[in-house]
Amino acid sequence: MSVKSPCIDICKFDARTGLCVGCLRTREECKEWKQMKNKHRKKIIDDRAHRAATLKR
């Protein structure tokens, strides 16, 4: 089963972290999502709490 994209159509990137404030991925991760293996996608999804914490600092 494929890992679903976390995109919520906000697509605004934080200048300090480089993360999208909507889905918490980098621009590069957003661009490469369809070509990524599910293992890498899952790692990005699992890291969302940590990524969200870096946005709030």
Side-chain angles (χ1 to χ4, degrees), residues 1-3 5-6 14 19-20 24-25 30-31 39 43 46 52 55:
M1 184 163 104
S2 184
V3 177
S5 171
D14 179 72
L19 296 172
C20 173
L24 303 171
R25 296 180 291 170
C30 291
K31 288 180 197 174
K39 183 178 179 179
K43 184 176 183 293
D46 291 346
L55 276 179

Side-chain angles (χ1 to χ4, degrees), residues 1-21:
M1 184 163 104
S2 184
V3 177
K4 187 177 180 226
S5 171
C7 182
I8 58 172
D9 293 322
I10 291 178
C11 303
K12 292 182 182 177
F13 291 88
D14 179 72
R16 185 178 53 81
T17 64
L19 296 172
C20 173
V21 298

Side-chain angles (χ1 to χ4, degrees), residues 37-50:
K37 294 187 184 278
N38 281 333
K39 183 178 179 179
H40 191 193
R41 290 177 182 174
K42 184 167 174 10
K43 184 176 183 293
I44 292 168
I45 298 294
D46 291 346
D47 195 38
R48 291 190 66 189
H50 178 263

